[in-house]
Amino acid sequence: MQEFPEPKIEDRRILTPTISDFPIRWNNSRGNAIDAIKIICSNMNLDPNEIKVDFYNNGLKEINLGTSVIFLESDPENPEAAGLYHNEKVDGKYIISLDEAILERPDSLIATIAHELSHIKLLGEKKLDQNDEMLTDFTTVFFGLGIFNANCAFQFYNKIDRWGHSKLGYLTIDEWAYALALLAFIRHEDEPEWKNFLSKTVKSNFEKCLSYMIDNEEEIFKFDDEKNN
C-alpha cells in the first residue's frame, strides 16, 4: 500500500471471470492473450505499449500407466511452467513469454499474465532488488487479479482423452485464501460480492479467514503496534 498508493486500496477494481470484466471472444489464440494483457495492464497501471510478449511451447507431460494415460502440466517450481519475465528491457520494452498451452484455458492465461506483470511492478519498477516469487503471487491480489490466481492454484480436470491435475503459482490454497481475506478486510468488505467467483475450497477457507480477522483485528495488526513502540 505504501509502494503503490494510487488508487487507494478501497478504490481498486477487483476483476472477475465475467464478460463485463473480460469482453474477449475466447478462441485459444495469441490475440486473446494480447487482449487480456491490455485489460490487466489497465488494472495494474501499466502501459501495454511498453510490453512485448512472445510465446513458447512447454506443453504437457505424458505419463503412461499401462491402462490409462495421465497428462500433467509442467512443474510449477520450474519458472518456465506457464510464463517468464525477462528482467532486462529490449528496445525500451518489458518482455514476457507465455506458454502456448495456456491459451486453451482463459483462467490460467489471465492468472499467468497477472503474475508476469506483477514482476514488472516489483522488479521492473525497482520496488525489489531480487526476485521473490511468493511476493509476486501476493501482488496479483493487491492489483485485483487474485481470484484467477487463487482458483488456478490447484485444478483437477477430466476430459474425454485425458485426466490429471494442474498447479499454477507458488502459494498454497490456504495462503491464497488468507491473502484474499486480508484484502477484503483492509477494504472493509465483510461480505464482498466477488467472493462468489472463488472456487469452492478457496471460498470456504476465505470465509474462515475473514471471519477470524473481523473478530480478532488486534491480533492481525499486532505487528504495527510493536513497530510503532
Side-chain angles (χ1 to χ4, degrees):
M1 291 169 64
Q2 293 173 344
E3 295 291 345
F4 304 106
E6 297 297 335
K8 294 181 179 179
I9 195 166
E10 296 90 343
D11 299 328
R12 290 184 177 272
R13 183 182 178 192
I14 308 299
L15 296 180
T16 60
T18 59
I19 193 68
S20 58
D21 284 344
F22 286 90
I24 297 173
R25 181 172 295 181
W26 299 103
N27 56 10
N28 306 336
S29 68
R30 294 182 176 185
N32 287 165
I34 301 303
D35 291 339
I37 286 173
K38 292 177 181 178
I39 294 170
I40 297 170
C41 277
S42 176
N43 232 52
M44 300 181 75
N45 296 326
L46 289 170
D47 183 353
N49 294 317
E50 294 182 356
I51 297 169
K52 181 180 183 298
V53 59
D54 56 32
F55 299 86
Y56 62 93
N57 188 359
N58 205 25
L60 299 173
K61 297 179 180 179
E62 178 179 328
I63 302 177
N64 194 327
L65 301 180
T67 57
S68 63
V69 176
I70 296 177
F71 290 81
L72 297 178
E73 305 300 330
S74 304
D75 184 352
E77 296 300 324
N78 182 339
E80 292 187 353
L84 284 168
Y85 164 67
H86 304 266
N87 203 26
E88 298 297 328
K89 277 188 170 183
V90 176
D91 296 329
K93 292 188 176 184
Y94 299 108
I95 310 295
I96 65 172
S97 299
L98 300 174
D99 184 353
E100 286 193 329
I102 63 171
L103 294 176
E104 298 180 4
R105 306 190 304 278
D107 53 349
S108 296
L109 174 64
I110 292 169
T112 301
I113 293 172
H115 180 90
E116 301 312 323
L117 295 187
S118 291
H119 278 307
I120 294 177
K121 298 301 294 186
L122 296 176
L123 293 172
E125 296 186 4
K126 309 300 183 184
K127 304 298 183 182
L128 290 181
D129 294 327
Q130 295 182 337
N131 185 37
D132 186 326
E133 291 292 355
M134 294 184 72
L135 182 59
T136 304
D137 266 352
F138 278 122
T139 301
T140 68
V141 176
F142 182 78
F143 282 100
L145 278 299
I147 290 173
F148 295 92
N149 293 73
N151 287 346
C152 292
F154 182 91
Q155 293 180 314
F156 180 83
Y157 57 84
N158 189 354
K159 299 184 178 181
I160 295 176
D161 60 340
R162 64 185 187 269
W163 59 272
H165 73 274
S166 63
K167 295 175 66 178
L168 191 69
Y170 297 81
L171 302 179
T172 66
I173 289 178
D174 289 345
E175 290 167 336
W176 281 114
Y178 184 91
L180 287 162
L182 188 59
L183 175 71
F185 183 73
I186 294 174
R187 286 162 56 95
H188 308 290
E189 295 179 293
D190 293 352
E191 288 288 338
E193 292 184 6
W194 50 263
K195 76 174 184 179
N196 294 315
F197 293 98
L198 296 172
S199 68
K200 184 177 179 180
T201 302
V202 178
K203 181 181 177 182
S204 175
N205 291 347
F206 165 88
E207 290 175 336
K208 293 175 183 177
C209 291
L210 183 56
S211 177
Y212 179 85
M213 292 176 186
I214 292 172
D215 293 339
N216 299 275
E217 181 174 356
E218 71 283 356
E219 291 295 324
I220 302 302
F221 295 105
K222 180 181 290 185
F223 62 88
D224 283 342
D225 294 334
E226 293 174 352
K227 182 178 179 180
N228 290 334
N229 291 336

Coordinates of all heavy atoms in Angstrom, one line a residue, residues 154-217:
F154 N -4.6 -24.9 -7.8 CA -4.7 -26.4 -8.0 C -6.0 -26.7 -8.7 O -7.1 -26.3 -8.2 CB -4.6 -27.1 -6.7 CG -4.7 -28.6 -6.8 CD1 -3.5 -29.3 -7.0 CD2 -5.9 -29.3 -6.8 CE1 -3.5 -30.7 -7.1 CE2 -5.9 -30.7 -7.0 CZ -4.7 -31.4 -7.1
Q155 N -6.0 -27.4 -9.8 CA -7.2 -27.7 -10.5 C -7.1 -29.2 -11.0 O -6.0 -29.6 -11.5 CB -7.4 -26.8 -11.8 CG -7.7 -25.4 -11.4 CD -7.9 -24.5 -12.7 OE1 -7.1 -24.6 -13.6 NE2 -8.9 -23.7 -12.7
F156 N -8.2 -29.9 -10.9 CA -8.3 -31.3 -11.4 C -9.2 -31.2 -12.6 O -10.2 -30.5 -12.7 CB -8.9 -32.2 -10.4 CG -9.1 -33.6 -10.9 CD1 -8.0 -34.5 -10.8 CD2 -10.2 -34.1 -11.4 CE1 -8.1 -35.8 -11.3 CE2 -10.4 -35.4 -11.9 CZ -9.3 -36.3 -11.8
Y157 N -8.7 -31.9 -13.7 CA -9.5 -31.9 -14.9 C -9.7 -33.3 -15.4 O -8.9 -34.2 -15.2 CB -8.9 -31.0 -16.0 CG -7.5 -31.4 -16.4 CD1 -7.3 -32.4 -17.3 CD2 -6.4 -30.7 -15.9 CE1 -6.0 -32.7 -17.7 CE2 -5.1 -31.1 -16.2 CZ -4.9 -32.1 -17.2 OH -3.7 -32.4 -17.6
N158 N -10.9 -33.6 -16.0 CA -11.2 -34.9 -16.5 C -11.9 -34.7 -17.9 O -13.0 -34.2 -18.0 CB -12.2 -35.6 -15.6 CG -12.5 -37.0 -16.0 OD1 -12.0 -37.5 -17.1 ND2 -13.2 -37.7 -15.2
K159 N -11.1 -34.9 -19.0 CA -11.5 -34.7 -20.3 C -11.7 -36.1 -21.0 O -11.3 -37.1 -20.5 CB -10.5 -33.9 -21.1 CG -10.4 -32.5 -20.5 CD -9.5 -31.6 -21.3 CE -9.4 -30.2 -20.8 NZ -8.5 -29.3 -21.6
I160 N -12.2 -36.1 -22.2 CA -12.5 -37.3 -22.9 C -11.3 -38.1 -23.1 O -11.3 -39.3 -23.0 CB -13.2 -37.0 -24.3 CG1 -14.5 -36.3 -24.1 CG2 -13.3 -38.2 -25.1 CD1 -15.2 -35.9 -25.4
D161 N -10.2 -37.4 -23.5 CA -8.9 -38.2 -23.8 C -7.9 -38.2 -22.8 O -6.8 -38.8 -22.9 CB -8.4 -37.6 -25.1 CG -8.0 -36.1 -25.0 OD1 -8.6 -35.5 -24.0 OD2 -7.2 -35.6 -25.8
R162 N -8.1 -37.5 -21.6 CA -7.1 -37.4 -20.6 C -7.6 -36.9 -19.3 O -8.7 -36.3 -19.3 CB -5.9 -36.6 -21.0 CG -6.2 -35.1 -21.2 CD -5.0 -34.4 -21.8 NE -5.2 -32.9 -21.9 CZ -5.7 -32.3 -22.9 NH1 -6.0 -32.9 -24.0 NH2 -5.8 -31.0 -22.9
W163 N -6.9 -37.2 -18.2 CA -7.3 -36.6 -16.9 C -6.0 -36.4 -16.2 O -5.0 -36.9 -16.5 CB -8.2 -37.6 -16.2 CG -7.7 -38.9 -15.9 CD1 -7.8 -40.0 -16.7 CD2 -7.0 -39.3 -14.7 NE1 -7.1 -41.1 -16.1 CE2 -6.6 -40.7 -14.9 CE3 -6.6 -38.7 -13.5 CZ2 -5.9 -41.4 -13.9 CZ3 -5.8 -39.4 -12.6 CH2 -5.5 -40.7 -12.8
G164 N -6.1 -35.5 -15.2 CA -4.9 -35.2 -14.4 C -5.2 -33.9 -13.6 O -6.3 -33.6 -13.3
H165 N -4.1 -33.3 -13.2 CA -4.3 -32.0 -12.4 C -3.2 -31.0 -12.9 O -2.2 -31.4 -13.5 CB -4.1 -32.3 -10.9 CG -2.7 -32.6 -10.5 ND1 -2.2 -33.8 -10.5 CD2 -1.8 -31.8 -10.0 CE1 -0.9 -33.8 -10.1 NE2 -0.6 -32.6 -9.7
S166 N -3.5 -29.8 -12.6 CA -2.6 -28.7 -12.9 C -2.4 -27.8 -11.7 O -3.3 -27.6 -10.9 CB -3.0 -27.9 -14.1 OG -4.3 -27.3 -13.8
K167 N -1.2 -27.3 -11.5 CA -0.9 -26.4 -10.5 C -0.3 -25.1 -11.1 O 0.4 -25.2 -12.1 CB 0.1 -27.0 -9.5 CG -0.5 -28.2 -8.7 CD 0.6 -28.8 -7.8 CE 1.0 -27.9 -6.7 NZ 2.0 -28.5 -5.8
L168 N -0.6 -24.0 -10.5 CA -0.1 -22.7 -11.0 C 0.3 -21.8 -9.8 O -0.5 -21.7 -8.9 CB -1.1 -22.1 -11.9 CG -0.7 -20.9 -12.7 CD1 0.3 -21.4 -13.8 CD2 -1.9 -20.2 -13.4
G169 N 1.5 -21.3 -9.9 CA 1.8 -20.3 -8.8 C 2.6 -21.0 -7.7 O 3.0 -22.2 -7.8
Y170 N 2.9 -20.2 -6.7 CA 3.9 -20.6 -5.7 C 3.2 -20.6 -4.3 O 3.9 -21.0 -3.3 CB 5.1 -19.6 -5.6 CG 5.9 -19.7 -6.9 CD1 5.4 -19.0 -8.1 CD2 7.0 -20.5 -7.0 CE1 6.1 -19.1 -9.3 CE2 7.7 -20.6 -8.2 CZ 7.3 -19.9 -9.3 OH 8.0 -19.9 -10.5
L171 N 2.0 -20.2 -4.2 CA 1.3 -20.2 -2.9 C 0.3 -21.4 -2.8 O -0.2 -21.9 -3.8 CB 0.5 -18.9 -2.7 CG 1.2 -17.6 -2.8 CD1 0.3 -16.4 -2.6 CD2 2.4 -17.6 -1.7
T172 N 0.1 -21.8 -1.5 CA -0.9 -22.9 -1.3 C -2.3 -22.3 -1.4 O -2.5 -21.0 -1.3 CB -0.7 -23.5 0.0 OG1 -1.0 -22.6 1.1 CG2 0.7 -24.0 0.2
I173 N -3.3 -23.1 -1.4 CA -4.7 -22.6 -1.4 C -5.0 -21.9 -0.1 O -5.7 -20.8 -0.2 CB -5.7 -23.8 -1.6 CG1 -5.6 -24.4 -3.0 CG2 -7.1 -23.4 -1.3 CD1 -6.5 -25.6 -3.3
D174 N -4.5 -22.4 1.0 CA -4.7 -21.7 2.3 C -4.1 -20.3 2.2 O -4.7 -19.3 2.8 CB -4.1 -22.5 3.4 CG -4.9 -23.7 3.7 OD1 -6.0 -23.8 3.3 OD2 -4.3 -24.6 4.4
E175 N -2.9 -20.2 1.6 CA -2.3 -18.8 1.6 C -3.0 -17.9 0.7 O -3.1 -16.7 1.0 CB -0.8 -19.0 1.1 CG 0.0 -19.7 2.2 CD 1.4 -20.2 1.7 OE1 1.5 -20.4 0.4 OE2 2.3 -20.3 2.5
W176 N -3.6 -18.4 -0.4 CA -4.4 -17.6 -1.3 C -5.6 -17.1 -0.6 O -6.0 -15.9 -0.7 CB -4.8 -18.3 -2.6 CG -3.7 -18.4 -3.6 CD1 -3.1 -19.6 -4.0 CD2 -3.2 -17.4 -4.4 NE1 -2.2 -19.3 -5.0 CE2 -2.2 -17.9 -5.3 CE3 -3.4 -16.0 -4.4 CZ2 -1.5 -17.2 -6.1 CZ3 -2.6 -15.2 -5.3 CH2 -1.7 -15.8 -6.2
A177 N -6.3 -18.0 0.2 CA -7.5 -17.6 0.9 C -7.2 -16.5 1.9 O -8.0 -15.6 2.1 CB -8.1 -18.9 1.6
Y178 N -6.1 -16.7 2.6 CA -5.7 -15.7 3.6 C -5.4 -14.3 3.0 O -5.9 -13.3 3.5 CB -4.5 -16.1 4.4 CG -4.1 -15.2 5.5 CD1 -4.7 -15.4 6.8 CD2 -3.3 -14.1 5.3 CE1 -4.3 -14.5 7.8 CE2 -2.9 -13.2 6.3 CZ -3.5 -13.4 7.6 OH -3.2 -12.5 8.6
A179 N -4.7 -14.3 1.9 CA -4.4 -13.1 1.2 C -5.6 -12.4 0.7 O -5.7 -11.1 0.9 CB -3.4 -13.4 0.0
L180 N -6.5 -13.1 0.1 CA -7.8 -12.5 -0.3 C -8.6 -12.0 0.8 O -9.3 -10.9 0.7 CB -8.5 -13.5 -1.2 CG -8.0 -13.8 -2.6 CD1 -8.5 -15.1 -3.1 CD2 -8.2 -12.7 -3.5
A181 N -8.6 -12.7 1.9 CA -9.4 -12.3 3.1 C -8.8 -11.0 3.7 O -9.5 -10.1 4.1 CB -9.4 -13.4 4.2
L182 N -7.5 -10.9 3.7 CA -6.8 -9.7 4.2 C -7.1 -8.5 3.3 O -7.4 -7.4 3.7 CB -5.3 -9.9 4.2 CG -4.5 -8.8 4.9 CD1 -4.9 -8.6 6.3 CD2 -3.0 -9.2 4.8
L183 N -7.2 -8.8 2.0 CA -7.6 -7.7 1.0 C -9.0 -7.2 1.4 O -9.2 -6.0 1.4 CB -7.5 -8.2 -0.4 CG -8.0 -7.3 -1.5 CD1 -7.1 -6.1 -1.7 CD2 -8.3 -8.0 -2.8
A184 N -9.9 -8.1 1.5 CA -11.3 -7.8 1.8 C -11.4 -7.0 3.2 O -12.1 -6.0 3.3 CB -12.2 -9.0 1.9
F185 N -10.6 -7.5 4.1 CA -10.6 -6.9 5.5 C -10.1 -5.5 5.4 O -10.7 -4.6 6.0 CB -9.7 -7.7 6.4 CG -9.7 -7.3 7.8 CD1 -10.8 -7.5 8.7 CD2 -8.6 -6.6 8.3 CE1 -10.8 -7.0 10.0 CE2 -8.5 -6.2 9.6 CZ -9.6 -6.4 10.5
I186 N -9.0 -5.2 4.7 CA -8.5 -3.9 4.6 C -9.4 -3.0 3.9 O -9.5 -1.8 4.1 CB -7.1 -3.9 4.0 CG1 -6.1 -4.7 4.9 CG2 -6.6 -2.5 3.7 CD1 -4.7 -4.9 4.2
R187 N -10.2 -3.5 2.9 CA -11.1 -2.7 2.2 C -12.5 -2.6 2.9 O -13.4 -2.0 2.3 CB -11.4 -3.4 0.8 CG -10.2 -3.3 -0.2 CD -10.3 -4.3 -1.3 NE -11.5 -4.2 -2.0 CZ -11.7 -3.5 -3.2 NH1 -10.7 -2.8 -3.7 NH2 -12.9 -3.5 -3.8
H188 N -12.6 -3.1 4.1 CA -13.8 -3.0 4.9 C -15.0 -3.7 4.2 O -16.1 -3.3 4.3 CB -14.1 -1.6 5.2 CG -13.0 -0.8 5.8 ND1 -12.5 -1.0 7.1 CD2 -12.3 0.2 5.3 CE1 -11.5 -0.2 7.3 NE2 -11.3 0.6 6.3
E189 N -14.7 -4.9 3.6 CA -15.7 -5.7 2.9 C -16.0 -6.9 3.8 O -15.2 -7.9 3.7 CB -15.2 -6.1 1.5 CG -15.1 -4.9 0.6 CD -14.6 -5.3 -0.8 OE1 -13.5 -5.8 -0.9 OE2 -15.3 -5.2 -1.8
D190 N -17.0 -6.9 4.5 CA -17.4 -8.1 5.3 C -18.0 -9.2 4.5 O -17.8 -10.4 4.8 CB -18.4 -7.7 6.4 CG -17.8 -6.8 7.5 OD1 -16.5 -6.6 7.4 OD2 -18.5 -6.3 8.3
E191 N -18.7 -8.8 3.4 CA -19.3 -9.8 2.5 C -19.1 -9.4 1.1 O -20.1 -9.0 0.4 CB -20.8 -9.9 2.8 CG -21.1 -10.7 4.1 CD -20.9 -12.2 4.0 OE1 -20.9 -12.7 2.9 OE2 -20.7 -12.8 5.0
P192 N -17.9 -9.4 0.6 CA -17.7 -8.9 -0.8 C -18.4 -9.8 -1.8 O -18.3 -11.1 -1.7 CB -16.1 -9.0 -0.9 CG -15.7 -10.1 0.1 CD -16.7 -9.9 1.2
E193 N -19.0 -9.2 -2.8 CA -19.7 -10.0 -3.8 C -18.7 -10.8 -4.6 O -19.1 -11.9 -5.1 CB -20.5 -9.0 -4.7 CG -21.6 -8.3 -4.1 CD -22.5 -7.5 -5.0 OE1 -22.1 -7.6 -6.3 OE2 -23.4 -6.8 -4.6
W194 N -17.5 -10.3 -4.8 CA -16.5 -11.0 -5.6 C -16.1 -12.4 -5.1 O -15.6 -13.2 -5.8 CB -15.3 -10.2 -5.9 CG -14.6 -9.5 -4.7 CD1 -14.8 -8.2 -4.3 CD2 -13.7 -10.1 -3.9 NE1 -14.0 -8.0 -3.2 CE2 -13.3 -9.1 -2.9 CE3 -13.1 -11.4 -3.8 CZ2 -12.3 -9.3 -1.9 CZ3 -12.1 -11.6 -2.8 CH2 -11.8 -10.6 -1.9
K195 N -16.4 -12.7 -3.8 CA -16.0 -13.9 -3.2 C -16.7 -15.1 -3.9 O -16.3 -16.2 -3.9 CB -16.2 -14.0 -1.7 CG -17.7 -14.1 -1.3 CD -17.9 -14.3 0.2 CE -19.3 -14.5 0.6 NZ -19.5 -14.7 2.1
N196 N -17.9 -14.8 -4.5 CA -18.7 -15.8 -5.1 C -18.1 -16.4 -6.4 O -18.5 -17.4 -6.9 CB -20.1 -15.3 -5.4 CG -20.9 -15.0 -4.2 OD1 -20.9 -15.7 -3.2 ND2 -21.5 -13.8 -4.1
F197 N -17.0 -15.7 -6.9 CA -16.3 -16.2 -8.0 C -15.1 -17.1 -7.6 O -14.4 -17.6 -8.5 CB -15.8 -15.0 -8.9 CG -16.9 -14.2 -9.5 CD1 -17.4 -13.1 -8.9 CD2 -17.5 -14.7 -10.7 CE1 -18.4 -12.3 -9.5 CE2 -18.5 -13.9 -11.3 CZ -19.0 -12.8 -10.7
L198 N -14.9 -17.3 -6.3 CA -13.8 -18.2 -5.9 C -14.3 -19.6 -6.0 O -15.4 -19.9 -5.8 CB -13.4 -17.9 -4.5 CG -12.9 -16.5 -4.2 CD1 -12.7 -16.2 -2.7 CD2 -11.5 -16.3 -4.9
S199 N -13.3 -20.5 -6.2 CA -13.6 -21.9 -6.2 C -14.1 -22.3 -4.8 O -13.9 -21.6 -3.8 CB -12.4 -22.8 -6.6 OG -11.4 -22.7 -5.5
K200 N -14.8 -23.5 -4.8 CA -15.5 -23.9 -3.5 C -14.5 -24.0 -2.4 O -14.7 -23.5 -1.3 CB -16.1 -25.3 -3.7 CG -16.9 -25.8 -2.5 CD -17.6 -27.1 -2.8 CE -18.4 -27.6 -1.6 NZ -19.0 -28.9 -1.9
T201 N -13.3 -24.6 -2.6 CA -12.3 -24.7 -1.5 C -11.8 -23.4 -1.1 O -11.6 -23.1 0.1 CB -11.2 -25.7 -1.9 OG1 -11.8 -26.9 -2.3 CG2 -10.2 -25.9 -0.8
V202 N -11.4 -22.6 -2.0 CA -10.8 -21.3 -1.7 C -11.8 -20.4 -1.0 O -11.5 -19.8 0.0 CB -10.3 -20.6 -3.0 CG1 -9.8 -19.2 -2.6 CG2 -9.2 -21.4 -3.7
K203 N -13.1 -20.4 -1.4 CA -14.1 -19.6 -0.8 C -14.3 -20.0 0.6 O -14.5 -19.2 1.5 CB -15.4 -19.8 -1.6 CG -16.6 -18.9 -1.0 CD -17.8 -19.1 -1.9 CE -19.0 -18.3 -1.3 NZ -20.3 -18.5 -2.0
S204 N -14.4 -21.3 0.9 CA -14.6 -21.8 2.3 C -13.5 -21.3 3.2 O -13.7 -20.8 4.3 CB -14.7 -23.4 2.3 OG -14.8 -23.9 3.6
N205 N -12.2 -21.5 2.7 CA -11.1 -21.0 3.6 C -11.1 -19.5 3.7 O -10.7 -19.0 4.7 CB -9.8 -21.5 2.9 CG -9.7 -23.0 3.0 OD1 -10.4 -23.7 3.8 ND2 -8.7 -23.6 2.3
F206 N -11.5 -18.8 2.6 CA -11.5 -17.4 2.6 C -12.5 -16.9 3.7 O -12.2 -16.0 4.5 CB -12.0 -16.9 1.2 CG -12.4 -15.4 1.2 CD1 -11.5 -14.4 1.0 CD2 -13.8 -15.1 1.4 CE1 -11.9 -13.1 1.0 CE2 -14.2 -13.8 1.3 CZ -13.3 -12.8 1.1
E207 N -13.7 -17.5 3.8 CA -14.7 -17.1 4.7 C -14.2 -17.3 6.2 O -14.5 -16.5 7.1 CB -16.0 -17.8 4.4 CG -16.7 -17.4 3.2 CD -17.9 -18.2 2.8 OE1 -18.0 -19.3 3.2 OE2 -18.8 -17.6 2.1
K208 N -13.5 -18.4 6.4 CA -13.0 -18.7 7.7 C -11.9 -17.7 8.1 O -11.9 -17.2 9.2 CB -12.4 -20.1 7.8 CG -13.4 -21.2 7.6 CD -12.7 -22.6 7.6 CE -13.7 -23.7 7.3 NZ -13.0 -25.0 7.2
C209 N -11.1 -17.3 7.2 CA -10.0 -16.3 7.4 C -10.6 -15.0 7.7 O -10.2 -14.3 8.7 CB -9.0 -16.3 6.3 SG -8.0 -17.7 6.0
L210 N -11.6 -14.6 6.9 CA -12.1 -13.2 7.0 C -12.9 -13.1 8.4 O -12.8 -12.1 9.1 CB -13.1 -12.9 5.9 CG -13.7 -11.5 5.9 CD1 -12.6 -10.4 5.9 CD2 -14.5 -11.3 4.6
S211 N -13.6 -14.2 8.7 CA -14.4 -14.2 10.0 C -13.4 -14.0 11.2 O -13.7 -13.3 12.1 CB -15.2 -15.5 10.1 OG -15.8 -15.6 11.4
Y212 N -12.3 -14.7 11.1 CA -11.3 -14.6 12.2 C -10.7 -13.2 12.2 O -10.6 -12.6 13.3 CB -10.2 -15.6 12.0 CG -9.1 -15.5 13.0 CD1 -9.2 -16.2 14.2 CD2 -8.0 -14.7 12.9 CE1 -8.3 -16.1 15.2 CE2 -7.0 -14.6 13.9 CZ -7.2 -15.3 15.0 OH -6.2 -15.2 16.0
M213 N -10.4 -12.6 11.1 CA -9.9 -11.3 11.1 C -10.9 -10.2 11.7 O -10.5 -9.4 12.4 CB -9.5 -10.9 9.6 CG -8.4 -11.6 9.1 SD -8.1 -11.2 7.3 CE -6.8 -12.4 6.9
I214 N -12.1 -10.4 11.3 CA -13.1 -9.4 11.9 C -13.2 -9.6 13.4 O -13.4 -8.6 14.1 CB -14.5 -9.7 11.2 CG1 -14.4 -9.3 9.7 CG2 -15.6 -8.9 11.9 CD1 -15.6 -9.8 8.9
D215 N -13.1 -10.8 13.9 CA -13.3 -11.0 15.3 C -12.0 -10.8 16.1 O -12.0 -10.7 17.3 CB -13.7 -12.4 15.6 CG -15.1 -12.7 15.1 OD1 -15.9 -11.7 14.9 OD2 -15.5 -13.9 14.8
N216 N -10.8 -10.7 15.4 CA -9.5 -10.6 16.1 C -8.6 -9.5 15.4 O -7.5 -9.8 15.2 CB -8.8 -11.9 16.1 CG -9.6 -13.0 16.8 OD1 -9.5 -13.1 18.0 ND2 -10.4 -13.7 16.0
E217 N -9.2 -8.3 15.2 CA -8.4 -7.3 14.5 C -7.1 -7.0 15.2 O -6.1 -6.7 14.6 CB -9.3 -6.0 14.3 CG -8.6 -4.9 13.6 CD -9.5 -3.7 13.3 OE1 -10.7 -3.8 13.7 OE2 -9.0 -2.7 12.8

